[in-house]
Amino acid sequence: MLIDEKLKKRIAKKTVEFIAREDGTALDSMSGLTWCRYLIGQKWLKRRALGDALELSLTDVMKTIDEFNAQKFGGFQDWRLPTQSELDVIENENIKIVSNNRSLLSENEVIFSPAPKKSFWTASASLAQTSNIEMIVGYYGGQAARTKFTSKYTRLVRG
């Protein structure tokens, strides 16, 4: 996938630039991906994430994605789970994330809400062979197969 190759090159550079938006989204200026700035379970209010992220089953995550798309969150209706490579850009502690939209970020504001050092749901074509297995990605990029009834954290992306 072309996007994954671009992301791998950028991870090697250790800096990723985003345009932070007030609506709770952030545009990756190089890949063109738009990210939800908060984790599923949290709410976006007054330019920050409030509440606790939820660990959800894949079934509940898919319902949430449908809700995001029905509500046209950020003006879009093509929200999805990120691939592992896409998620690595956000969750890799060795990457410096900067914003080129300083007017939206106060000095102590972050682009993305902090994530628990736990596992996240990701999209995976390779494990879609069975109906009850999906791929999850660990905070540091590890992979494991789990049933779709396992509960994990979720970030959403589109583009």
Side-chain angles (χ1 to χ4, degrees), residues 18-136:
F18 289 88
I19 299 170
R21 297 178 177 150
E22 289 186 57
D23 66 358
T25 64
L27 174 66
D28 179 332
S29 60
M30 185 172 223
S31 72
L33 294 173
T34 300
W35 288 88
C36 178
R37 291 176 62 188
Y38 58 94
L39 297 164
I40 298 302
Q42 296 178 310
K43 299 292 180 201
W44 189 257
L45 187 63
K46 297 183 180 178
R47 298 179 3 190
R48 65 184 178 134
L50 300 174
D52 295 325
L54 297 175
E55 289 182 285
L56 299 173
S57 69
L58 184 61
T59 302
D60 290 336
V61 167
M62 298 312 288
K63 287 178 189 174
T64 301
I65 292 171
D66 288 343
E67 290 169 10
F68 265 63
N69 289 328
Q71 295 168 6
K72 295 184 180 179
F73 174 70
F76 304 103
Q77 54 187 60
D78 60 346
W79 292 97
R80 62 178 173 79
L81 290 173
T83 65
Q84 179 179 350
S85 296
E86 292 167 345
L87 188 62
D88 282 346
V89 171
I90 305 299
E91 299 301 334
N92 188 326
E93 67 180 7
N94 297 316
I95 294 175
K96 179 183 177 188
I97 296 177
V98 298
S99 174
N100 64 358
N101 194 351
R102 296 282 178 214
S103 64
L104 290 181
L105 294 177
S106 63
E107 204 169 293
N108 61 354
E109 186 177 355
V110 295
I111 296 174
F112 297 100
S113 63
K117 294 188 185 219
K118 301 247 180 158
S119 296
F120 289 81
W121 287 111
T122 63
S124 171
S126 64
L127 292 177
Q129 304 150 354
T130 64
S131 61
N132 68 336
I133 300 290
E134 295 294 329
M135 183 192 293
I136 58 171

